[in-house]
Each structure stands twice: as C-alpha cells, then as structure tokens.
Amino acid sequence: MDAPYCSAFAALLLCAASAAPAAGAPKLVKLIKAARLIDSSGRVVTNAVLVIEDDRIVSVGGATPPPAGAQVIDVHTHMTYFWDGASGTRPRGNTRPAAVSMVLAQANLKKTLDAGVTTVRDLNASEYTDVAMRDLIRMGAWVGPRMFVAGYGLSITRQPFRPGAIPGPATADGVSEVIQRVRQQIAAGVDWVKVFGSTGSFEDVSQSQTFTYEEMKAAVDTAHALGKRIAIHSYGPDGARDAVRAGADSIEHATDIDDATIAEMARKGTWYVPTIDHNRYYAEHAGEYGFATGSVQRLNEFVARNLETARKAVKAGVKIAMGSDAVYSMFGENTRELGWLVKAGMTPAQALGAATANGAALLGMETSLGTLAPGFFADIVAVDGDPLSDVNVLIDRVRFVMKGGQVVVDRTGH
Ligand SMILES: [Zn+2]
C-alpha cells in the first residue's frame, strides 16, 4: 500500500493520513504516521503508526506499547444555541423557529470540530433539535462531532433568573411531575437527562437551589431506572450538595461546593464538570450580550470562586471531565477550559485526560472512545507542538482532525 509520509510536526502528533482501499475489499484502510503520539495519561509513543479500517483503529504500532487517546471530548455544550452576529442583534432572544436555528447551528458544529473536539455531550435544547442534530450526524447527512444529547433541561416553574419567562415544556414541580418530564425526555430519544438544580446562568451569578432534594432524587432514580445518566446544573453549595446526595452522575459548574460534598463526590465517584471558562467568555462578551453594568466584575469573581472550587476538587481526587458550556459565539473556544484545569492544579497530561479518557468514561463510552487502541473509534487530533509542556498547543494549534476514520479538518498543507 502506498503510504505517503508527511512532515511530522515539531513535537507532537501525526502527519498525514494515506487512504487506499484494500484489494478486493470495500474497507477503507488508512495509515497515520505520527512523530509522537500522546496518551491520556501522558505516555508518549515515538514514530507511531496507526492502521485504521473504516471508522475504527485496528492497530497501533510504535517503539513503545499502544497509547490511549488523543481525541477531545467536550462534555458540556449547547450546540443548538446559534447567533449569526448580525448588527443590532444579541445572541439571546432571537425569534427564529428552533428548526431554523438548528440548521444554522451547523456553523457551531464546524467550529467545534475545528477546535479538535470530535464528541460532545449537549445539555439543553428546544423541540428536540439536539436529537435531530445527533441523528443527522450519525447518518452522515451532516458533518459534526458525535453528540450525546439531553433534550429539554428540567426547570421549576418559577426560575428567578428568567423574570417573565413563560414556563417551558420541561417545567416540573413536585416528584410526580419530575418523574413524568424525565420519562418524556427519554421517550423522545435523549441519551442523558439534564436538570437545572439551581439558578445562575449568563450574567446571573445567583446560586439558589431550585429543585428540592426529593425532586432531584426522583429525577435521578427515574433516569437510572430507564438506563440513562443524569447531569445536574448547580451553582452554589446547596444545589450541589443535594444533587450529589441524590446520586447525580455529573455536577455542572458548581461554584463554592462545600468540603463535605467534595469529599462525598470523591468517595462516590461523582463527576465534576467545572466549566470555568464560560464565565470568562461572558465577561469578555458582556457588551455583545448587553449585560448590566457591574456584570463583568461579578462574572470575574465567579470565575475566581469556580477555579478555587475546582482546585479543592482536584486536590480531593474528584473525577473531572472537561466541559466548555459553549453557547453562541463561544464555539471554537471549547478547549480553553484545559488552561483552567491546569491552573486548578492538574498537570497538562491530567488535563488532557479530563478531555479524553475521562470524557469517555463519563459518557459510558470507555470501550470505544477516548483511547487510541484497536477496536476504538479512529478519532485523532494532530497539533503543532507539545501539549504536555504547554496545554495551549491543543487550544491554538490544531492542524488535523479525524473523526471515525474521516478527515474532518486538514490544515497540514498536504
Ligand atoms: Zn450549560
């Protein structure tokens, strides 16, 4: 087989993929030669050769044993939140039908792939447009990251941060309504259940618990009984405490988690997705959103407290996965969260692990995603530089992305 070699990048991963159909077989076989292949635990294989058939890796050869993952998973996005940046408009409050926003949101899918992210967990969308998007990508009709979706996030009737908002179809009050709404989401084909367990969103930095412990417990038990995992959004210590006690699989955002709850998360194996960077993004884009005066300072304080909580969680050994909470104009910045994870005390290798093997484990996909090994999906990101010495290389210098054996980004110049 012809396997053209490409100039390897300065330090890390990969060079070119060479595609050649195997004789007499319909399978598409690709070879990738990598100057250095880096794994989710920071192990390096030099002069590695990966063989890919169709969407899977069949072998990984090199001077040292096969490594795990160099694929990036973002476990908290809002892919259907689309804004075209038209002058005189704001990201929020557009009146387009949800299906129109979904079609336009293909731009978000592309920006996310360009950032090297080949799998996302998407946590809240209208009219099951996330389910449709996931299926279009799965069918090959659209190009985008592999999606795990949640449909409507459940809210209580009166969300103090949305004054005047008309309660949506996933509003629930009391245990029986919660059970019904969770079942509705699962019936509609979601992969995950999402619950808004506290206030706090966009410029609102309040963190009051919304659903009671009993309601959260009902949501968790119903999701689990139907074989689904559940993510609970919870800013502030109260929502997080009850979400962890109730048995949520992942806690999103969660500033100011108390020490006892952090210890319980470590003991129970509850995932923490800090999403620190999205409040940095809101602070930098306060004008674009039309946020009130003073919001930048409040958001920056929020970032500092979120980082402090993440630091405690890292120290306590809580399992952490990388989530961006990307919305609207934030797509493409998905992996900037990695920089915060390093600031929170992770080594670059551990931060990479949060975005690869940990993301896969959170999704329950640890036997097919997050690792570069035979039988796994051939999702590969090549960067120009060494992310183990500077994690920003993965943020700014992605040159090549393969998803399921297909080259979806190629800026190698070959
Ligand atoms: Zn979110």
Side-chain angles (χ1 to χ4, degrees), residues 76 78 123 194 253 325:
H76 192 133
H78 295 284
L123 293 177
K194 165 78 180 285
H253 323 299
D325 207 1

Side-chain angles (χ1 to χ4, degrees), residues 76-78 81 123-124 194 196 233 235 252-253 275 278 282 324-327:
H76 192 133
T77 62
H78 295 284
Y81 292 30
L123 293 177
N124 188 46
K194 165 78 180 285
F196 289 97
H233 158 123
Y235 282 106
E252 311 297 308
H253 323 299
T275 71
H278 84 296
Y282 287 140
S324 64
D325 207 1
V327 294

